[in-house]
Amino acid sequence: MIRLSGRFRSALIIGGQGIRARKMRTFLSMVSLFLGVLAVVVVQAGAETLERAQLASLELQVGRDGTRQAYLPGSPGSIRVSNETLADRPDAVAVASRQAIIGEPGVVPVNPGGAPFDQPGGYGPAGGMYCDQYGCRPMSPGGEAAPAVPGQAIELVLHTLTGDIRQFKPFRRVAGQWLDFSSAPALAPRLVVNLEAAKGFNRHRVPAEMRIDGATANPTPQIIGVIDDGNPQPSAYTRADDLANWLPESPAAADYGPGLQVMMAPTAGELERLLVLRLAATGVPADQIHFETVRAREDIERNLALTRWIFLGMASLVLLIGVAGILNVGLATVGERVEEFALRRAVGTSRLLLAGIVLAETLLTGLLTAAAAIGASALALRAAGTLFADRAPFLAEMVFPWQAAVAGVVAGLAAGLLGGLVPAIRAARIPIATVMRA
């Protein structure tokens, strides 16, 4: 083992000396190999970046991997039971969703049905009804006929939370602050709006009056922050106990469709079983209580796998051009060093060590090229994060993926090995008699 270690060390030292003695030739070999290694690094880094971008988007929509979640009928009974069971639980949160209008009373909102502000019209059909992912309801949250009087009012989806949802959906804070669940409930509901709702409030000056179906009075909300939740529909988030001050304990409200979402940590198995039993006791059908585990990464990797292998195949073709360049340079170098290698053989250098010297040069060349390609890719990713942080916020926090660095090192070493194998074999076969002819 010590003898082999000494041979390996000698090959590296002599190979490094050969690279230093032929700097221009080494530089040309690196140039021919650089694009191939860079292609492999860029493909791997691009695939990892795309995967993280899609995963970040899915986490905002469906939650982090491993989260246990269920969509339940948003009836008053199921909402009450969920709020009571999950109150003050750090490992679970219930999200009840309903429509709300903020602004002048008795007018049609500027975005009927809670539609995005850059889209004309509203969600759902005409005739006093609108439909979205939570079902169909009257145009006015109060249930009365929607007046045909336009005014300064904004309609949005109001999500009431029993706890901090950010442990399951990593919302990005844009301005202000997030909801504080450790303080006492507020008489004026505190709202955190998403980017689309903030866009509407910036464009339209509306009175601070909020209308909610079933409320005993119209409260005056406090907008305390803005978050990016990845939702194109105007939305707001508030504490369930803040809103409970304005709603009767048993509101005679219609079913909201799948307007109740429950999210739990993977370790909250006992809590999940307790909630199922309590919901079943209130009359919720058993076939409507179904928890499932979020597996966002698995779905993304399955979709990206084929694309990644196709582009890696194309990058490998570019890498082969660099291998051919190293092969040509290596053969030319061995041809120029025939006398040197023959002399080394004459003084007792083994054929294996001669081959190792040539391979050490090509492997070191491949490793240096990989370092240059990885450095260039990392700088490009950092520049992209600086330039496009506004359009793609995840790039601002993106770090260079270690998988791309590993792929670059493997590609560089593989190219050095393939390009130096034939020259190494040729160097090992140089006869000792060659030194006599020299």
Side-chain angles (χ1 to χ4, degrees):
M1 183 65 67
I2 296 176
R3 184 180 179 185
L4 290 177
S5 176
R7 287 181 177 179
F8 178 72
R9 184 169 59 249
S10 299
L12 285 179
I13 293 174
I14 299 173
Q17 291 173 347
I19 289 177
R20 187 174 58 181
R22 285 169 289 275
K23 298 184 180 65
M24 182 55 65
R25 185 165 291 182
T26 301
F27 175 74
L28 294 176
S29 298
M30 291 179 60
V31 169
S32 65
L33 185 59
F34 179 78
L35 290 180
V37 177
L38 181 64
V40 174
V41 173
V42 168
V43 168
Q44 187 67 29
E48 293 295 331
T49 302
L50 182 60
E51 179 179 329
R52 294 183 187 182
Q54 292 191 1
L55 183 62
S57 178
L58 278 179
E59 285 180 344
L60 291 178
Q61 298 294 330
V62 301
R64 298 183 187 274
D65 267 15
T67 300
R68 296 282 293 169
Q69 68 172 353
Y71 291 91
L72 306 172
S75 62
S78 64
I79 293 177
R80 177 181 55 80
V81 168
S82 299
N83 289 352
E84 292 176 355
T85 307
L86 305 184
D88 301 324
R89 289 298 301 252
D91 54 352
V93 61
V95 187
S97 303
R98 65 185 72 213
Q99 297 295 123
I101 294 179
I102 300 178
E104 294 182 80
V107 299
V108 174
V110 295
N111 61 327
F117 294 96
D118 292 330
Q119 296 182 7
Y123 278 2
M129 296 290 291
Y130 61 83
C131 299
D132 58 14
Q133 66 267 39
Y134 303 112
C136 296
R137 293 169 294 280
M139 182 70 76
S140 174
E144 67 274 7
V149 179
Q152 293 297 314
I154 291 174
E155 186 166 0
L156 46 76
V157 179
L158 182 62
H159 304 285
T160 59
L161 310 176
T162 60
D164 194 346
I165 195 176
R166 295 179 301 171
Q167 59 180 311
F168 306 112
K169 294 186 176 183
F171 297 157
R172 186 177 65 89
R173 186 171 61 87
V174 178
Q177 60 185 2
W178 178 246
L179 300 170
D180 181 12
F181 290 89
S182 61
S183 61
L187 293 178
R190 292 161 290 189
L191 304 183
V192 176
V193 299
N194 68 351
L195 290 175
E196 186 64 24
K199 182 194 300 183
F201 287 115
N202 285 333
R203 293 181 182 178
H204 307 279
R205 299 182 62 86
V206 301
E209 179 178 332
M210 183 167 63
R211 289 172 282 159
I212 309 170
D213 188 19
T216 56
N218 294 340
T220 301
Q222 309 175 64
I223 298 179
I224 62 174
V226 180
I227 51 98
D228 179 11
D229 63 353
N231 189 357
Q233 188 176 10
S235 303
Y237 299 84
T238 187
R239 288 173 44 170
D241 49 4
D242 276 6
L243 199 62
N245 294 323
W246 302 90
L247 293 174
E249 293 187 1
S250 301
D255 192 294
Y256 288 96
L260 176 62
Q261 181 182 14
V262 176
M263 309 185 78
M264 295 184 180
T267 56
E270 290 295 331
L271 180 61
E272 179 180 327
R273 288 187 284 273
L274 175 62
L275 179 61
V276 170
L277 290 176
R278 294 197 62 183
L279 288 173
T282 63
V284 178
D287 59 351
Q288 296 185 18
I289 308 175
H290 176 66
F291 279 84
E292 60 182 12
T293 303
V294 176
R295 294 185 175 89
R297 183 181 294 276
E298 180 179 317
D299 296 336
I300 292 174
E301 290 179 346
R302 188 184 304 113
N303 295 332
L304 291 180
L306 179 59
T307 304
R308 177 182 299 186
W309 283 112
I310 290 175
F311 281 100
L312 279 177
M314 298 173 62
S316 299
L317 294 178
V318 181
L319 186 63
L320 288 177
I321 299 175
V323 171
I326 288 185
L327 176 61
N328 291 332
V329 173
L331 290 174
T333 302
V334 170
E336 293 178 358
R337 301 171 67 185
V338 170
E339 292 81 5
E340 174 194 344
F341 291 143
L343 182 60
R344 288 183 182 277
R345 286 281 292 119
V347 296
T349 303
S350 65
R351 295 181 185 273
L352 183 61
L353 182 55
L354 286 180
I357 292 172
V358 176
L359 277 178
E361 291 188 19
T362 57
L363 288 174
L364 288 175
T365 300
L367 195 58
L368 291 174
T369 306
I374 293 169
S377 300
L379 290 176
L381 183 61
R382 178 176 298 182
T386 303
L387 295 175
F388 304 105
D390 295 337
R391 300 180 183 178
F394 73 94
L395 286 177
E397 303 175 356
M398 186 75 179
V399 296
F400 187 75
W402 63 267
Q403 296 92 335
V406 171
V409 171
V410 171
L413 292 177
L417 179 63
L418 293 176
L421 190 59
V422 174
I425 294 175
R426 179 166 295 185
R429 290 181 176 178
I430 294 176
I432 298 178
T434 305
V435 72
M436 305 299 297
R437 293 196 297 267

